[in-house]
Amino acid sequence: MALPAHLQETFSPEEIQFLVEDEMIKIFPRITTRQRRRKIGNGHSDIEDVQFRMVTTEDDALNQMVAMRSTEVKLWIALLLRQQSKCSIVAPSWLTVKELNRKIQYEKTATDRFSDLPWNWIVVANLLFSRAADDFHDPVHELRSKIQDLREIRQTKVLRGLKQLNASHLQLDNLSLLEINELRPFIVRTMDKLRDVHDAANIDGTVGEEDEYDDVM
């Protein structure tokens, strides 16, 4: 069965979240999964059982955790452990009121540039706000407001930048996956149309760059 037209051109929100949840994030586990050795005499040692063992096919940090010693795990695992009260999640360094204020100031000052936020910043922020709100040092309502401010400022800059589209080049450095996903259907159709107009203009020499843009908008 064919996918709906709108899903053929973009990722669905669920697909984007699936990709983002495979990223690493720092946690403070509240459980110990690392096996400990104990001396049993005559220079021998034995492995002491631990209360928790993670079922995993990967040789990763899951079975090397020590309670209250920071480690990194995939985001989906961190959210699952957090739901079971087995860890607290360490908010990324950029997800504080102070850092978000710096990003907002940069966005306002650099009118033709985007701040260097992570490619997954919107999705990570929303996931942590909804499922790990108690792990933030800053008030979550204030963080939500800063994230929304950033999104709106960047969306305005994107719309302004679309006026500089041409048939061969589009520069959108530092946009996140979600931001690009929202723009992709429009940009692809627009640039296809621009190429058609540009090719026609090369043949008859009658269409200028401003006419190209007016024609597709």
Side-chain angles (χ1 to χ4, degrees):
M1 183 175 66
L3 288 171
H6 70 282
L7 291 181
Q8 294 177 16
E9 298 181 338
T10 62
F11 290 111
S12 69
E14 292 78 13
E15 287 174 319
I16 291 178
Q17 181 170 318
F18 178 80
L19 292 172
V20 171
E21 285 184 351
D22 211 40
E23 292 293 297
M24 304 297 287
I25 196 167
K26 185 179 290 186
I27 64 169
F28 280 111
R30 295 173 182 163
I31 58 174
T32 295
T33 61
R34 177 186 292 177
Q35 291 181 326
R36 292 168 291 186
R37 292 185 176 275
R38 59 181 178 181
K39 293 183 178 180
I40 57 176
N42 298 323
H44 298 289
S45 62
D46 190 17
I47 295 177
E48 183 179 353
D49 289 336
V50 294
Q51 183 176 0
F52 297 98
R53 296 291 293 166
M54 300 294 179
V55 178
T56 175
T57 60
E58 300 179 6
D59 183 17
D60 54 22
L62 284 181
N63 283 316
Q64 296 297 322
M65 294 191 299
V66 177
M68 299 314 296
R69 183 180 298 177
S70 67
T71 187
E72 285 193 340
V73 297
K74 292 182 178 180
L75 178 56
W76 70 268
I77 294 174
L79 293 173
L80 181 61
L81 292 174
R82 176 67 176 75
Q83 183 180 5
Q84 298 173 354
S85 300
K86 290 182 171 63
C87 81
S88 57
I89 296 176
V90 180
S93 59
W94 54 268
L95 194 47
T96 65
V97 170
K98 180 179 178 180
E99 285 301 311
L100 292 176
N101 279 333
R102 290 181 64 248
K103 301 297 185 185
I104 289 172
Q105 184 59 38
Y106 179 90
E107 298 287 355
K108 291 179 177 179
T109 304
T111 57
D112 60 344
R113 294 285 186 275
F114 295 96
S115 56
D116 58 344
L117 286 160
W119 70 278
N120 54 18
W121 67 278
I122 299 173
V123 179
V124 167
N126 287 332
L127 279 172
L128 295 184
F129 292 159
S130 63
R131 298 173 63 178
D134 293 340
D135 292 344
F136 289 97
H137 296 297
D138 294 323
V140 170
H141 72 275
E142 197 170 342
L143 291 168
R144 283 184 186 274
S145 177
K146 300 299 181 184
I147 290 291
Q148 184 60 32
D149 288 346
L150 263 176
R151 285 213 67 184
E152 291 175 358
I153 294 170
R154 288 163 70 95
Q155 285 172 343
T156 299
K157 290 168 72 172
V158 166
L159 293 175
R160 189 162 55 241
L162 290 178
K163 295 181 180 179
Q164 301 175 19
L165 275 173
N166 61 56
S168 62
H169 179 71
L170 172 64
Q171 184 169 345
L172 294 173
D173 295 343
N174 293 329
L175 285 188
S176 70
L177 175 59
L178 185 60
E179 290 170 307
I180 293 173
N181 194 61
E182 292 170 344
L183 289 169
R184 187 174 183 271
F186 169 77
I187 290 177
V188 169
R189 289 193 296 268
T190 299
M191 295 193 74
D192 285 345
K193 179 63 175 176
L194 281 171
R195 276 191 290 269
D196 292 341
V197 174
H198 186 267
D199 291 342
N202 286 338
I203 294 173
D204 58 30
T206 59
V207 182
E209 289 186 2
E210 292 185 2
D211 296 324
E212 292 181 29
Y213 184 77
D214 291 339
D215 187 58
V216 297
M217 295 301 286

